Amino acid sequence: DATSAWRRAALAAFDGGLVIDQLVRALQARHTMEDFSAAASFFDSALGRRVTLAENAAQKITDDAMVKAEGGAILAMNLAMVTGMQASGLLPYSMSQDEMIAMLNDQRGAIATELERSIYIQAAFTYAEISDADMQAYADFLTGPVGRDFYAALNIAISDVLNARARDFGEIFAELLQESAL
């Protein structure tokens, strides 16, 4: 059944160990440890440890909010999944990438509204115990060259890995369905 195939494909394509391993390799392919030593120093500071603990605790408590906050990334990955399903040859029709993007763009309005709301709620909850001065220092790190460079590299690696995993998911899912029509 489609639900079982979806779960099995997701577990295979988005295995946590596999994703982390590919993420590390993607970062190492473009960067050395020295590239991130200044960022590591921040995260090893008292403020860096406190902010990291708050962010980790918020993720464990608000899984539903985090899922909603990831909506934009999920929508972007949908294109990769549809592409993977089409590449498997099991889709009964062919769509151009422009047609796929148009189909997915129809979903953006509702997702954008909910995403914005979720981000504000999540941030308020996550950083409620961090002082204004510490939040300013954290914001300075994030918007300064060290934080910007670190997160830019991390975001590129995450995007590359998740898009590759999403394409694999689409192919695995279509193969598991063993059908000519979805």
Side-chain angles (χ1 to χ4, degrees):
D1 102 309
T3 303
S4 175
W6 184 275
R7 276 193 195 103
R8 289 176 30 213
L11 288 171
F14 294 103
D15 171 82
L18 176 66
V19 170
I20 296 297
D21 182 56
Q22 289 181 346
L23 180 58
V24 168
R25 283 188 295 179
L27 282 169
Q28 289 175 336
R30 294 184 179 147
H31 302 281
T32 66
M33 291 305 291
E34 290 78 30
D35 292 340
F36 300 124
S37 62
S41 292
F42 171 81
F43 287 113
D44 195 39
S45 72
L47 175 58
R49 287 190 304 272
R50 200 164 56 252
V51 169
T52 299
L53 285 172
E55 291 171 346
N56 288 340
Q59 287 181 347
K60 291 176 184 165
I61 293 171
T62 60
D63 287 344
D64 290 339
M66 288 305 293
V67 168
K68 289 179 183 176
E70 296 294 329
I74 291 168
L75 182 61
M77 279 195 296
N78 284 346
L79 176 61
M81 285 188 269
V82 172
T83 302
M85 290 166 66
Q86 186 168 313
S88 73
L90 295 178
L91 282 177
Y93 54 86
S94 177
M95 294 176 76
S96 70
Q97 186 164 359
D98 288 341
E99 290 170 323
M100 289 180 209
I101 290 171
M103 177 183 75
L104 296 172
N105 279 338
D106 288 342
Q107 303 169 15
R108 282 188 189 230
I111 290 175
T113 300
E114 182 59 27
L115 180 61
E116 183 177 356
R117 184 177 121 348
S118 294
I119 287 171
Y120 287 125
I121 291 169
Q122 183 69 25
F125 176 79
T126 300
Y127 303 109
E129 302 300 319
I130 307 292
S131 72
D132 288 348
D134 283 347
M135 278 308 300
Q136 185 59 57
Y138 186 39
D140 290 345
F141 165 73
L142 293 174
T143 59
V146 172
R148 249 189 355 255
D149 291 349
F150 172 72
Y151 280 104
L154 184 60
N155 287 336
I156 289 168
I158 288 170
S159 179
D160 290 349
V161 169
L162 290 182
N163 277 314
R165 300 286 75 226
R167 280 189 298 278
D168 286 349
F169 168 85
E171 291 179 16
I172 294 166
F173 180 59
E175 289 172 13
L176 287 172
L177 287 177
Q178 300 281 321
E179 297 178 10
S180 61
L182 294 179

